[in-house]
Amino acid sequence: MKTVVVTDVARAAAADIERLAAHGVATVHEAMGRTGLVGVSLRPIQEGVRIAGSAVTVLCWPGDNLMIHAAVEQCRAGDVLVVTTASPSLDGSFGELFATALKHRGVRGLVTTGGVRDVADLRAMVFPVWSAAVNAQGTVKATAGAVNVPIPVGGTLVRAGDVIVADDDGVLCVPRPDVQEVLGAADARAAKEAESRAAYRRGELSLDRNNLRGALENLGVRYVSSAEYGSGSGSAGGVEAGHGHG
């Protein structure tokens, strides 16, 4: 591990970050070809909050939050602090005092593979957090790590300056060089979803709108009456309910 603090991180345009936030995690994830999610282990401590911002990355030693202190200085308005440890640790390395300092600097939230504490205070001050645990166990400040270096978060590599999108559905990382391409795909997907939403409100079926009847037919799905199914003539390949588990 290189024990460094990188200070001159490039960030995406603020307007582009706001547009990604408006789309939300699920839409952007689909627009990226179903990539970018950090995984299901990180969950929000709050509900109904959606943020996006430039990643300030932190690599800490397990049970040690020294580098979070160093990272605060590198944060700007509109950033999201992203923290992980060199090996798995769920200690509560972040609490209300850190959130107070970061909120003063305009930081939009925290994403951490570790634990947080002072959760009631964090909710009350409206500082959004996505974490792997809530844990009152504290940490020390004794071991060097790194700030603004690439870090693994779940199954995704997050680089400083990448755009983090987070909401009730989870956390997503958009690589900074891909922001414009992803925005175009997300805009197109949102427009398509708006058309589908209007169609469903008119009573259209998703089977027809998405041309899925042919897919069902090609997969051997047949429509049968309840009488036919009850007599056994409607079962496919002799597989009855309760016996089709793989």
Side-chain angles (χ1 to χ4, degrees):
M1 178 198 306
K2 290 185 177 181
T3 53
V4 299
V5 175
V6 181
T7 61
D8 52 345
V9 172
R11 291 160 168 85
D16 292 340
I17 293 172
E18 294 302 323
R19 286 172 61 195
L20 287 170
H23 283 304
V25 170
T27 295
V28 178
H29 169 58
E30 294 287 348
M32 290 175 63
R34 299 182 180 177
T35 62
L37 290 176
V38 305
V40 298
S41 62
L42 273 60
R43 300 303 305 155
I45 66 167
Q46 65 285 314
E47 292 183 350
V49 174
R50 177 182 291 171
I51 66 168
S54 297
V56 171
T57 62
V58 188
L59 180 61
C60 291
W61 200 255
D64 192 306
N65 69 358
L66 174 62
M67 299 314 294
I68 300 179
H69 289 273
V72 172
E73 183 181 23
Q74 304 306 316
C75 290
R76 302 179 187 173
D79 287 345
V80 174
L81 192 66
V82 184
V83 180
T84 194
T85 49
S87 60
S89 173
L90 296 178
D91 291 337
S93 64
F94 186 98
E96 175 265 336
L97 289 177
F98 270 139
T100 298
L102 290 173
K103 193 165 185 178
H104 173 75
R105 302 178 78 87
V107 173
R108 291 178 174 168
L110 167 76
V111 172
T112 176
T113 63
V116 297
R117 58 186 186 175
D118 305 330
V119 170
D121 295 321
L122 294 174
R123 290 172 179 154
M125 66 191 295
V126 194
F127 188 83
V129 170
W130 286 257
S131 69
V134 173
N135 189 353
Q137 176 65 49
T139 56
V140 299
K141 304 164 183 62
T143 310
V147 175
N148 283 332
V149 299
I151 60 173
V153 182
T156 297
L157 186 67
V158 179
R159 294 176 172 85
D162 286 349
V163 178
I164 301 297
V165 185
D167 58 24
D168 287 347
D169 290 335
V171 179
L172 176 86
C173 176
V174 182
R176 187 176 62 85
D178 300 341
V179 164
Q180 289 297 321
E181 179 182 355
V182 171
L183 269 174
D187 287 343
R189 182 172 182 84
K192 182 179 178 181
E193 288 179 348
E195 294 174 357
S196 295
R197 189 175 300 110
Y200 299 153
R201 286 171 176 163
R202 294 192 301 268
E204 285 189 36
L205 294 173
S206 57
L207 275 175
D208 297 319
R209 182 164 186 82
N210 295 296
N211 298 315
L212 296 176
R213 293 190 186 277
L216 290 176
E217 183 178 355
N218 291 338
L219 291 169
V221 177
R222 295 190 296 124
Y223 286 78
V224 298
S225 69
S226 57
E228 288 175 309
Y229 184 76
S231 70
S233 62
S235 62
V239 177
E240 296 293 345
H243 299 283
H245 299 292

